[in-house]
Amino acid sequence: LFFDKRDGGPLDFPSVNENAQVPPAEANEKEPASINTASMLAVEARDATFNYIKQVTEQSTISYENANPFNEQNEAGEPSDDNAYRYRLFDLSARAPKADIYDEEEEEVVIGERCLMAIRTEVDGVVVSGQSRKQMFIRALTQHDISAVGAGKALDWRQKLDSQRGAVVATEMKNNATKLARWAFQAVLAGADQLKVGFVARVSPRDRSRHGVLGFQTYRPSDFISQLGFSEYSGWGIVKALVDLCLEMPEGRYVIMRDPNKPLIKLYAVPAGTFEDNGEDDAEVAAAEDN
């Protein structure tokens, strides 16, 4: 069973104020495109995070056992990917409760078939202190224009970040709950010791190309999950339920989609060749039609 995302899809772009009472809207015929639409803000947030990571980490590198495989695919002049990728194995097998095991020295009993999940995770930096290495997961929150539609009644970071940091963080937890939860769980999966969140704001509300770093906050990933009101245990329960559901489906390809209005996800069956670049197959079909 393989879970993957579509390249260039929404998961590649961090949402901005998705959970605000009035989130940023997309451009339409009535309202021309602006720099504060949901898609434009997502692209801006992705670029700001990339540059923030570059800025807060040193140019010196730490080598792991294997080289980054994605740099081999880069074209000439394309920037290298400095992330470290950790492939981690998690055991999702169901086990008998301790109360059902009468011998205290007996190992846990696995119920049903063994279920192992391999995950590729990211590490953005390492803090070296003596012989120890603390791995970091780094991301950036962005502020565009507090007067724009979809700003989520956010405080002006330039004026309030130092004096009212708690209120600023609380507002971001409300407006960006989904994004922050995703970062926190990504950090946990990567086994990161720290989650560093930067506060990056536009130099001018009307210029999306220039930003300034106003501050940062560092959390222990598990503590941050608790602050957001989530539970690691419940998160793994959702993953296991989804895995069990998919394993019961006939062999094939499926698309997982989140319902935009309800707290549920839907599973759609699609043809096996969907989303693949089948240039040769298209050529054969065209030749057949010509004949």
Side-chain angles (χ1 to χ4, degrees):
L1 175 63
F2 295 89
F3 289 96
D4 200 359
K5 65 176 181 64
R6 199 180 311 173
D7 289 339
L11 290 179
D12 289 337
F13 301 89
S15 60
V16 176
N17 293 348
E18 178 185 3
N19 304 107
Q21 187 173 2
V22 181
E26 283 292 1
N28 52 52
E29 295 180 356
K30 295 181 180 179
E31 298 182 7
S34 75
I35 61 174
N36 295 324
T37 59
S39 57
M40 293 291 284
L41 291 174
V43 173
E44 180 181 347
R46 180 202 61 179
D47 295 341
T49 294
F50 176 81
N51 290 321
Y52 175 71
I53 294 173
K54 290 284 188 181
Q55 184 170 347
V56 300
T57 53
E58 294 182 356
Q59 296 299 318
S60 58
T61 60
I62 294 179
S63 300
Y64 282 76
E65 183 177 352
N66 298 304
N68 188 325
F70 299 104
N71 287 332
E72 299 175 359
Q73 305 171 5
N74 288 354
E75 298 179 357
E78 188 175 352
S80 62
D81 181 1
D82 295 331
N83 283 358
Y85 292 91
R86 301 183 67 197
Y87 292 81
R88 306 190 70 203
L89 196 65
F90 295 89
D91 192 346
L92 303 183
S93 306
R95 288 174 166 77
K98 287 288 187 180
D100 295 343
I101 303 175
Y102 298 101
D103 188 347
E104 295 183 356
E105 298 181 356
E106 186 71 21
E107 295 183 357
E108 291 182 328
V109 177
V110 175
I111 303 173
E113 295 184 356
R114 198 170 188 85
C115 181
L116 300 177
M117 174 177 279
I119 303 177
R120 185 180 70 214
T121 65
E122 299 178 39
V123 175
D124 299 302
V126 174
V127 177
V128 179
S129 178
Q131 298 297 322
S132 67
R133 292 183 178 182
K134 290 188 177 181
Q135 301 184 98
M136 301 178 61
F137 188 82
I138 306 171
R139 289 295 183 269
L141 288 168
T142 55
Q143 185 170 73
H144 50 287
D145 183 354
I146 60 174
S147 63
V149 176
K153 299 180 180 179
L155 300 174
D156 188 341
W157 292 356
R158 293 185 179 278
Q159 297 181 8
K160 304 296 184 180
L161 185 59
D162 291 332
S163 60
Q164 300 183 34
R165 178 162 300 212
V168 169
V169 172
T171 303
E172 292 307 306
M173 286 183 175
K174 180 181 68 175
N175 291 337
N176 294 286
T178 300
K179 177 169 65 177
L180 291 173
R182 175 185 171 187
W183 292 349
F185 280 104
Q186 283 182 287
V188 168
L189 291 175
D193 300 291
Q194 297 179 359
L195 168 61
K196 183 184 289 292
V197 179
F199 295 88
V200 178
R202 290 179 183 173
V203 174
S204 170
R206 297 186 179 183
D207 184 358
R208 63 184 296 270
S209 63
R210 299 173 62 234
H211 299 80
V213 178
L214 305 181
F216 68 90
Q217 191 81 16
T218 303
Y219 302 92
R220 289 184 62 245
S222 56
D223 293 343
F224 192 53
I225 289 176
S226 299
Q227 290 184 35
L228 292 169
F230 295 103
S231 164
E232 286 185 54
Y233 184 82
S234 298
W236 281 115
I238 295 172
V239 172
K240 185 61 165 66
L242 183 59
V243 168
D244 291 343
L245 175 64
C246 292
L247 289 174
E248 293 175 359
M249 304 293 289
E251 185 173 340
R253 174 168 290 195
Y254 298 86
V255 173
I256 300 173
M257 296 187 66
R258 185 185 65 181
D259 190 291
N261 300 314
K262 299 178 182 178
L264 56 85
I265 59 175
K266 297 180 179 180
L267 202 63
Y268 294 92
V270 297
T274 306
F275 311 126
E276 292 183 355
D277 185 11
N278 297 326
E280 296 181 359
D281 295 343
D282 294 341
E284 292 178 0
V285 171
E289 290 177 350
D290 294 338
N291 296 332

